[in-house]
Amino acid sequence: MQLSSAKMKKRLAAACVLFVCLGYHGDFVTGPLSDFFLSATGASMFDHRRMAVMPVAKRALHAETSFLARLPMITPFGKNHEEEPQVDQQSLRGDNQRYLSRDLGNGDCEWTPPVPLDPEIPVDSTFLVGFPGSGKRLTYLLLEALTGSYSGDDWDHSGNGYHVTHMKGAYPHHESTAWFWGSQMGQTVLQVRNPRWALPSYRTVRHELAYAGTWGEAHDRIEFVYTERGPTDRWDNWKASSFKQEMQIWSWFIDYWMEGGLRRKFDHELILVGDNETVVDEHCNGDLVCEPKTVVSFENMINPATGPTELGKIANVMTGKEGVDMISSSTWGCLYTEVLAKGTEYETRFNPYRDEKGPKRAEKTLTSKELAFMLDEVEYIHDKYSAGEWASDPAAQQLVGYMTNYISLISSEYAIIIMQEEGGVSAGSSNSTEQVEVPPKQAPGEEVAALEQ
């Protein structure tokens, strides 16, 4: 692609800024960083709304996450950033001094897309964390409607940066081990999903991203997310090699956040150092209050009968935070309905869109042994957070309630699969509480050819 002289100068200038910022790391002056200079005039260097310096750095360094985690924070809203579009925040607010979505009274509302936060306004942000495949996308879209401001994401694929009212992420899962946002998040909300469907959903996203190994490769595939499920043989191959460990990571992930960053092995044993001292993630000792203020579930969030109440749990812990302009609670139910109704207009794609391409969800089956192992892990979480000091912890008891439901659903499927394996029931039976009706949407036609590394 040929670029104008002005664009060429602008992109080379950004490359120079990165070289100055990163060049003192001598080992990286050549290699990935020099590769970045060679590609500095590439067509995808800048976000369509604003310069995305941090994503470009990630892309240029080929996801050298351990290195990037030590870098100074360079966000799209950095100081002295002449290219940043100036937003007239006052023109975006009504008489009640809040962003675009409007309270029309009597529980009625008008929903419109969010806008960027004013970079000069301090904000006490919320980190929405969940195991990959736990449906955080729906939740952050709903929160955008309530706050009127853009969401962020841990790898900043959105280009919205980290100066946001809320951000979704999967730290410290092995798909999200880097911490780019310093101390810009103030509190945590944990979202869970039945692992029976979280694991297949996670693997589906990996398929849709063509099993990307770098930030750039993943970013180039964003448009394909929520468009098709991978073949069943890929699912079966993954189960044979990785199912048990990933299931342990699912429960390990919950432990990490509930215990405020306490480090454990995947088999739940504590990691001890020195004189049998426990280890707490350094980010939970100053950057963020890691213990969740509340726990929500994807199943409750996507169900119209429970969704507004589930959304309200997060909205309540965000209300009153500095820089968070939350719309009146009387409109939360209305805005919930509006976001789901405007799905195609606002790119709100959910699992049913995948039904148009690839196998149906029920075809991602589990054996009785796999379901039994899954039950063990869910019961571990249920039993641990039902007893002792956790019995009086509100967030823990929310978590226990969801685990109780998951145990019931997985146990029911286990009984069916046992009968199938003994030849008593036809294949294809499954349990699900996640159905939601959304308008059909055509998926891109490109076939995924890359193999999983």
Side-chain angles (χ1 to χ4, degrees), residues 63-96:
E64 293 279 1
T65 55
S66 61
F67 164 65
L68 285 170
R70 300 194 300 270
L71 295 180
M73 185 59 59
I74 308 172
T75 73
F77 298 103
K79 294 182 179 179
N80 302 320
H81 199 308
E82 296 179 0
E83 298 297 327
E84 174 63 24
Q86 298 300 309
V87 179
D88 182 357
Q89 299 294 325
Q90 189 66 33
S91 68
L92 297 174
R93 299 175 180 227
D95 294 338
N96 59 354

Side-chain angles (χ1 to χ4, degrees), residues 375-439:
L375 272 172
D376 287 343
E377 293 300 310
V378 177
E379 289 172 346
Y380 159 78
I381 293 293
H382 175 277
D383 295 347
K384 174 176 179 175
Y385 293 99
S386 297
E389 61 181 321
W390 296 108
S392 59
D393 185 287
Q397 295 317 296
Q398 291 170 342
L399 178 65
V400 168
Y402 301 131
M403 296 303 114
T404 300
N405 186 43
Y406 298 164
I407 290 169
S408 175
L409 291 169
I410 298 169
S411 296
S412 296
E413 183 173 0
Y414 174 79
I416 292 172
I417 296 301
I418 285 289
M419 295 177 67
Q420 287 179 1
E421 292 173 349
E422 295 176 352
V425 177
S426 62
S429 300
S430 64
N431 290 281
S432 172
T433 60
E434 302 174 331
Q435 298 298 325
V436 61
E437 293 185 3
V438 292

Side-chain angles (χ1 to χ4, degrees), residues 117-129:
L117 277 183
D118 183 338
E120 301 301 322
I121 295 178
V123 59
D124 189 353
S125 305
T126 297
F127 191 18
L128 174 68
V129 297

Side-chain angles (χ1 to χ4, degrees), residues 111 114 126-131 133-152 165-169 188-193 226 294-303 306-318 326 332 335-336 339-340 346-350 402:
W111 174 91
T126 297
F127 191 18
L128 174 68
V129 297
F131 185 88
S134 294
K136 299 182 292 295
R137 176 186 174 89
L138 169 62
T139 304
Y140 87 69
L141 291 173
L142 290 166
L143 291 174
E144 284 185 337
L146 268 57
T147 63
S149 60
Y150 279 128
S151 296
T165 58
H166 54 286
M167 181 183 83
K168 73 180 184 73
T188 303
V189 170
L190 174 63
Q191 179 161 318
V192 296
R193 182 182 185 183
Y226 291 96
T294 191
V295 181
V296 297
S297 79
F298 173 70
E299 293 82 7
N300 279 11
M301 194 68 71
I302 202 171
N303 184 344
T306 55
T309 300
E310 200 76 354
L311 177 62
K313 290 165 61 177
I314 306 179
N316 282 327
V317 300
M318 292 179 64
M326 186 71 66
W332 294 352
L335 285 172
Y336 175 92
V339 169
L340 267 64
Y346 191 35
E347 299 180 355
T348 311
R349 296 178 295 191
F350 308 118
Y402 301 131

